[in-house]
Amino acid sequence: MTMFHFFNCAILTFGPHAVYYSATPLSEYDTLGTSVKAALVYLGTALVKLVCLATVLKVSENDGFDPYQELLKAVIGFIDVAGLYFALTQLTHRNISQNHKFQAVGLGWAFADSVLHRLAPLWVGARGLEFTWDFILQGLEANANLVLSISLAALGSLMWLRKNKPKTLIPIIYTCAGIVATMPSITSYLRRGLGWDFPKVVVFELFTSLSMAFISWQLFSACQRPS
């Protein structure tokens, strides 16, 4: 029963990444290499963030919400944006369209995040004797992160790769990118500042990810229309 629960949670956490790759044109255009490169960039970015967090942040004596500490985390979190910029603009890619490039980068980014932050807790915890919903919720959270990562990659593609976008959409694109980039700080405030429990936060993340995906899709479609 414990291994069955582990495999169910693992499929829920990592399965959607494989489904997305195989169910979209990404598999037809063989963009796996782009996703792997993006995952490696994410790991390097995570290492830089870890060093910055360990250097700047102080160990808190309580688990409450500290606005100053969370502001520092949010600023350091924008290292992810820099890493995404590098993955989208500096890495060599196969001859694929901009549409497929941002999807492949976002997919690799999200998969690396899930492996780095969820694989070890899942392996240790989901095989326990006592059933818990926490790891199912973590799987749903990983799905929300997948959608947010692809949305941020789409917005980054519009910011850095598309030159002829309508000027009226530029503030909206940057605002949406800022919201997605600061989602970890937003969810931290909901948990520690407002005292939301984990299921409520996951529902918020799922709703926000779907909303941002719809907005990003609309923005991307609008920027592709001839001016």
Side-chain angles (χ1 to χ4, degrees), residues 17-220:
H17 301 78
V19 172
Y20 187 93
Y21 180 81
S22 60
T24 61
L26 296 182
S27 58
E28 299 177 9
Y29 288 91
D30 192 23
T31 59
L32 183 60
T34 297
S35 295
V36 171
K37 291 178 183 177
L40 294 176
V41 172
Y42 174 85
L43 294 177
T45 303
L47 179 60
V48 174
K49 284 175 58 180
L50 182 63
V51 173
C52 292
L53 289 171
T55 304
V56 175
L57 296 184
K58 298 179 180 179
V59 178
S60 178
E61 296 180 356
N62 53 57
D63 198 35
F65 183 82
D66 186 340
Y68 177 70
Q69 295 282 81
E70 293 300 328
L71 179 61
L72 287 177
K73 288 182 183 179
V75 173
I76 293 173
F78 275 92
I79 295 176
D80 279 335
V81 178
L84 201 60
Y85 170 83
F86 180 83
L88 284 170
T89 63
Q90 303 301 315
L91 291 181
T92 56
H93 302 278
R94 291 172 56 89
N95 188 23
I96 57 177
S97 67
Q98 181 181 353
N99 188 19
H100 297 138
K101 181 189 295 184
F102 84 78
Q103 292 184 72
V105 169
L107 181 62
W109 199 267
F111 182 77
D113 178 82
S114 292
V115 170
L116 188 63
H117 293 102
R118 297 178 179 88
L119 181 59
L122 189 64
W123 176 256
V124 174
R127 296 186 304 130
L129 296 178
E130 184 178 354
F131 175 82
T132 174
W133 286 96
D134 288 347
F135 300 103
I136 295 177
L137 292 172
Q138 285 185 21
L140 294 175
E141 189 178 41
N143 295 338
N145 182 69
L146 169 62
V147 178
L148 287 172
S149 296
I150 295 176
S151 299
L152 183 58
L155 295 168
S157 177
L158 293 177
M159 289 189 295
W160 303 314
L161 300 181
R162 185 166 291 277
K163 305 301 182 183
N164 58 341
K165 48 186 174 288
K167 293 183 178 180
T168 55
L169 297 180
I170 293 177
I172 303 175
I173 293 172
Y174 278 84
T175 300
C176 292
I179 293 173
V180 177
T182 54
M183 272 299 293
S185 296
I186 294 173
T187 55
S188 177
Y189 172 71
L190 294 177
R191 291 178 183 175
R192 299 180 178 181
L194 299 183
W196 284 23
D197 55 11
F198 190 35
K200 194 173 180 179
V201 173
V202 172
V203 171
F204 171 80
E205 289 179 314
L206 290 170
F207 174 78
T208 305
S209 65
L210 293 175
S211 300
M212 295 309 301
F214 177 76
I215 295 172
S216 301
W217 174 58
Q218 293 294 328
L219 290 172
F220 202 88

